[in-house]
Amino acid sequence: DKGLHRLPDHPLGILKNVIENYFCEVDPSVSFTVMDDLSPIVSTYANFDSVLVPADHVSRSANDTYYVTKGSVLRCHTSAHQLELLKHGHKRFLVTGDVYRRDTIDATHFPVFHQVEGVRVFEPHEWESQNLSSLELASTELKTTLEGLVRHLFGECEMRWVDAYFPFTEPSYELEIFFKGEWLEVLGCGVMQSSILDAAELDGHRAWAFGLGLERLAMILFDIPDIRLFWTPDPRFSQQFKSGMFRAGGVGMKKFSSYSKYPPCYKDVSFWLPQDKNFTENSLCELVRSIAGTLVEEVKLIDEFENKKLKRTSHCYRFTYRSMERSLTDDEVNEIQNEVRQRLETDLHVVLR
Ligand code: DAH
């Protein structure tokens, strides 16, 4: 409900606006419809089937995706809206929204983050008038548009296209940039599978599509060290961001300056895995997150061994607790940890050691 991407002075809102402006300015004769408040609860059909995710794909499991009911989920990507919007007659659009994934816990992963999705449909006369095949037009246009977007965000930089796989595009690519000595993936994209266009009664058309994650790019561009900071109510964070502050590549822009970090508190727990083999790291992380909220910074497997005679496996996890806003007291961390230990036994059926 926070709609961080709709707050004009929040780093996610700032970045989203910069991206939307690029698509409105790049070629003012082709306007993109901009949407940012579609409900995050979508049908499993929209989230998976409509974008051709195979029936046995891991992302469909309750270990990876948050199911609301058997037939509905918290969208795990904004691609969930592609087909619906095409069916409604949209031919050029951007959709920004909160997306949800069950995952591990560290400084770059949070169960909710934000994506921007873009789609551009071409009519036959567009490639015919240029004497190109539809595929040539779509893939050339895709590459020049997204290279322009990356320059708009990062300034002049070295880029490379890497072949990728997404079920909804063919060919599929990832665009990477060389930034501060490393190759970084910026977005995924490709030429939309024809069967999606067919399903929207757009047979004979071509389209490209892309999707990018806002947090990762905002962390790089604004120098934000921990993904939980996006959610902090601390004015020492929010007061450092203002709409209009953004400069390509962060050149000449005041980056985020970290206020002093509060001390971490480490808690280790060792347990035998349940015999039924149903234990997963994602469910452990979900359990800790549900008790500790944003106070948990990292969950890390630090030791693992198998007792061959007893045919049992033991895991030792280290939890790092730290608040972004204040010092935690021993009492409150102990209370959280005790609850985690209890729920490990009752909910995940492990045997504490
Ligand atoms: N939905 C993909 C993801 O969440 C991102 C993506 C890749 C979106 C390629 C697209 C695309 O529209 O063409 O990882």
Side-chain angles (χ1 to χ4, degrees):
D1 286 344
K2 291 206 168 158
L4 299 180
H5 59 293
R6 288 192 294 270
L7 305 176
D9 296 325
H10 187 277
L12 298 176
I14 295 172
L15 190 54
K16 165 188 174 272
N17 284 334
V18 169
I19 293 170
E20 289 176 353
N21 287 340
Y22 168 77
F23 281 92
C24 297
E25 287 160 9
V26 61
D27 182 353
S29 66
V30 293
S31 57
F32 277 74
T33 306
V34 170
M35 284 159 278
D36 64 10
D37 58 356
L38 301 179
S39 169
I41 300 176
V42 301
S43 64
T44 50
Y45 174 80
N47 199 68
F48 302 119
D49 306 84
S50 79
V51 279
L52 315 175
V53 175
D56 58 354
H57 196 270
V58 286
S59 67
R60 291 188 185 245
S61 80
N63 187 49
D64 287 43
T65 293
Y66 291 99
Y67 279 76
V68 179
T69 63
K70 199 163 168 287
S72 62
V73 296
L74 289 172
R75 64 185 164 208
C76 70
H77 55 178
T78 42
S79 307
H81 299 290
Q82 282 189 7
L83 179 58
E84 183 77 16
L85 292 169
L86 290 169
K87 279 187 174 169
H88 278 95
H90 293 288
K91 297 227 169 68
R92 289 180 285 267
F93 55 86
L94 296 177
V95 181
T96 306
D98 35 332
V99 300
Y100 300 78
R101 292 186 197 173
R102 290 170 56 112
D103 213 328
T104 48
I105 296 182
D106 63 30
T108 60
H109 290 88
F110 201 67
V112 43
F113 60 104
H114 298 77
Q115 285 187 329
V116 180
E117 187 89 8
V119 169
R120 155 82 154 108
V121 179
F122 295 90
E123 314 269 344
H125 72 84
E126 295 183 79
W127 60 83
E128 284 160 7
S129 65
Q130 299 188 54
N131 266 327
L132 293 172
S133 72
S134 59
L135 191 61
E136 279 168 341
L137 176 66
S139 41
T140 318
E141 230 270 352
L142 166 73
K143 289 189 173 178
T144 43
T145 306
L146 295 178
E147 285 170 8
L149 172 65
V150 166
R151 277 193 294 273
H152 189 71
L153 298 178
F154 289 89
E156 283 307 324
C157 59
E158 209 184 326
M159 297 179 214
R160 69 180 184 195
W161 289 95
V162 180
D163 288 329
Y165 167 78
F166 302 105
F168 28 93
T169 46
E170 174 66 38
S172 306
Y173 307 102
E174 279 166 359
L175 181 50
E176 297 187 344
I177 61 165
F178 198 66
F179 193 76
K180 293 190 182 157
E182 274 185 285
W183 283 102
L184 288 171
E185 182 215 317
V186 175
L187 53 82
C189 63
V191 176
M192 190 181 286
Q193 293 278 12
S194 314
S195 62
I196 299 178
L197 289 165
D198 295 349
E201 293 180 38
L202 287 167
D203 354 9
H205 291 65
R206 274 284 183 192
W208 55 243
F210 76 90
L212 59 79
L214 284 177
E215 272 81 351
R216 228 165 55 90
L217 298 187
M219 289 175 81
I220 297 165
L221 287 162
F222 293 101
D223 266 349
I224 297 171
D226 190 300
I227 196 166
R228 292 173 295 159
L229 284 165
F230 292 110
W231 300 88
T232 182
D234 196 324
R236 285 173 301 175
F237 178 78
S238 47
Q239 282 172 359
Q240 297 195 36
F241 302 95
K242 202 78 200 134
S243 71
M245 74 184 285
F246 185 80
R247 298 288 173 272
V251 180
M253 172 178 95
K254 204 182 152 295
K255 300 276 186 79
F256 174 66
S257 68
S258 290
Y259 33 89
S260 62
K261 268 194 160 188
Y262 294 93
C265 175
Y266 303 105
K267 294 283 175 189
D268 292 353
V269 60
S270 298
F271 48 80
W272 297 109
L273 296 192
Q275 308 282 29
D276 60 19
K277 299 207 165 30
N278 273 336
F279 176 87
T280 64
E281 191 163 298
N282 277 2
S283 47
L284 168 67
C285 289
E286 180 66 20
L287 187 149
V288 183
R289 199 60 104 176
S290 74
I291 296 164
T294 55
L295 299 183
V296 57
E297 176 167 296
E298 189 173 48
V299 170
K300 197 170 170 188
L301 181 64
I302 55 171
D303 190 33
E304 161 169 30
F305 77 90
E306 199 186 332
N307 182 321
K308 290 249 160 56
K309 251 207 331 255
L310 296 173
K311 291 212 178 95
R312 294 175 97 183
T313 305
S314 166
H315 279 181
C316 177
Y317 277 92
R318 174 158 299 166
F319 304 146
T320 307
Y321 295 108
R322 187 203 312 254
S323 164
M324 293 276 115
E325 291 96 32
R326 60 197 171 81
S327 282
L328 296 175
T329 64
D330 280 343
D331 284 352
E332 73 184 310
V333 175
N334 287 336
E335 199 177 312
I336 291 173
Q337 187 64 7
N338 283 336
E339 193 175 341
V340 168
R341 291 174 63 89
Q342 275 173 25
R343 296 259 310 271
L344 269 166
E345 287 191 305
T346 54
D347 297 9
L348 299 184
H349 314 294
V350 310
V351 179
L352 297 175
R353 304 180 51 217

